Amino acid sequence: MAVTVVGSIAFDAVKTPSGERERMLGGAATHFALAASFFDTVHVVGPVGDDFTDADMAILATRGTDVSDVERVAGGRSFFWKGEYGWDLNDRETLDTQLNVFEHFEPKLSDASKAADVLFLANIQPELQLDVRRQCEAARFVAMDSMNLWIDIARDALVRVIEAVDCVILNDAELRQLTGKPNVLTAAREVIAWGPSVVVAKQGGYGAALITAGDVFNIPAFPMETVVDPTGAGDTFAGGFVGFVARHVDSGLTRDVLRNAMAYGTALASHNVEEFGTERVERLQPGEIHARVADLADMTRFDAPALDLRSASGQPA
Ligand code: AMP
């Protein structure tokens, strides 16, 4: 099933302990589309400026992604984000965010984008996410992401978006900030009470947790010796997760579908961090994804031996 995505299409300046890039293609919708395009057609919605080249557009269009709803704003500049990571790659500092062409963007979706069965509201201002949600009435599965900036400055609008989706994908610190609950599980249960049936709590280099009314499932991050640049890992995870669900939307959100979606998201995210920005996922091959999904399936299964444990009395319980 085709997937429509709205979210930032950006240039990023990034510094990590492995090196730096002054201006590379990035953005939440970009990273999402590069991952979700392994599964089906992706329609990208969002504005770019004069500074967005044909070569940038060609990368966005990798694996047949439809870029006809990417609007070039004459005289405008593309979204720009600057961030820096220390030795703890789970901890990054945002140094600059320039919305630029996103500030006054009014999305007009093509019929193909409106008709998609699956919609992903990638990270961008919540009012814009809500606008696109309303235009995609036919969507059968709607997922979303956000970040601390929008919880800080647009919380009410963000809650309205959450009430209108099936699945929320946030990192665990954002879930705690959003709900005021100190525990990820209780924070996820609070979000489920607002409307969505699925919550994914991303935990950076530690993995991710899936919470539904009937299931809690933790998956580790794929073990990596070298992480060059974590930027976009969350969006790449979302592209793998939502892309897999889009393939299986007819069979419903079963436990197996959601758990496999977690594995595909994890495998794709692990490739994203191997190089800066979109560099690695642009040329990734399906066999490389399958190999990591198979390893993850092995890692999360084990045979539990029957074992007598001693009770307080010292006797086997
Ligand atoms: P991630 O590392 O998955 O959280 O996403 C990083 C991407 O999000 C970068 O490529 C940025 O361009 C983009 N980004 C950063 N801040 C924002 C924001 N406030 N709104 C939308 N996108 C953003």
Side-chain angles (χ1 to χ4, degrees):
M1 298 286 171
V3 181
T4 293
V5 58
V6 62
S8 54
I9 304 165
F11 289 115
D12 292 341
V14 171
K15 191 171 178 185
T16 80
S18 302
E20 61 187 302
R21 294 285 187 278
E22 272 184 18
R23 192 174 171 81
M24 64 185 184
L25 178 61
T30 306
H31 286 288
F32 176 90
L34 278 165
S37 57
F38 277 103
F39 300 86
D40 215 320
T41 303
V42 180
H43 305 280
V44 181
V45 177
V48 295
D50 290 331
D51 49 357
F52 203 80
T53 66
D54 290 344
D56 297 318
M57 198 69 92
I59 295 171
L60 197 55
T62 299
R63 287 178 283 276
T65 288
D66 170 24
V67 292
S68 52
D69 277 349
V70 176
E71 193 179 313
R72 274 186 199 272
V73 180
R77 287 183 69 74
S78 300
F79 184 106
F80 177 76
W81 176 77
K82 183 174 182 177
E84 188 170 335
Y85 300 79
W87 285 107
D88 178 359
L89 292 167
N90 286 315
D91 192 24
R92 80 171 167 215
E93 192 184 353
T94 290
L95 302 173
D96 197 5
T97 302
Q98 298 172 14
L99 286 181
N100 294 335
V101 287
F102 270 95
E103 210 158 342
H104 302 292
F105 177 59
E106 290 176 12
K108 287 166 215 72
L109 273 62
S110 63
D111 289 344
S113 294
K114 277 187 200 163
D117 283 287
V118 174
L119 172 64
F120 186 61
L121 306 171
N123 186 18
I124 197 61
Q125 61 264 52
E127 291 80 3
L128 188 48
Q129 293 179 310
L130 211 49
D131 185 333
V132 173
R133 172 67 192 99
R134 288 189 180 126
Q135 293 190 51
C136 294
E137 284 175 346
R140 289 193 279 157
F141 178 74
V142 184
M144 66 172 293
D145 187 11
S146 190
M147 73 181 295
N148 56 349
L149 174 70
W150 307 117
I151 303 173
D152 286 336
I153 69 171
R155 188 180 181 282
D156 290 350
L158 181 59
V159 171
R160 288 207 302 282
V161 185
I162 294 172
E163 288 168 351
V165 304
D166 305 292
C167 172
V168 171
I169 304 175
L170 285 176
N171 71 41
D172 56 2
E174 292 159 352
L175 274 169
R176 285 194 295 265
Q177 184 190 352
L178 176 69
T179 59
K181 306 266 183 206
N183 172 286
V184 174
L185 202 53
T186 43
R189 300 250 184 262
E190 172 85 14
V191 170
I192 287 172
W194 298 348
S197 52
V198 180
V199 173
V200 176
K202 295 176 286 180
Q203 294 153 343
Y206 303 109
L210 169 82
I211 299 109
T212 65
D215 196 21
V216 176
F217 173 68
N218 290 285
I219 191 162
F222 192 86
M224 305 283 295
E225 285 199 29
T226 311
V227 173
V228 171
D229 172 23
T231 308
D235 310 306
T236 306
F237 174 94
F241 181 89
V242 173
F244 187 90
V245 170
R247 271 285 180 90
H248 297 84
V249 91
D250 282 335
S251 51
L253 295 182
T254 63
R255 194 174 110 138
D256 272 357
V257 166
L258 292 173
R259 288 184 172 204
N260 274 284
M262 294 285 282
Y264 275 88
T266 300
L268 273 149
S270 72
H271 283 296
N272 176 78
V273 304
E274 290 172 335
E275 294 179 26
F276 274 94
T278 61
E279 289 166 15
R280 180 68 179 100
V281 181
E282 278 169 40
R283 50 168 221 284
L284 190 61
Q285 296 299 319
E288 297 174 297
I289 304 169
H290 289 310
R292 287 204 178 162
V293 169
D295 286 349
L296 282 162
D298 273 349
M299 269 179 234
T300 49
R301 249 177 239 140
F302 65 97
D303 294 323
L307 178 69
D308 285 336
L309 297 175
R310 294 189 308 161
S311 66
S313 65
Q315 299 302 313

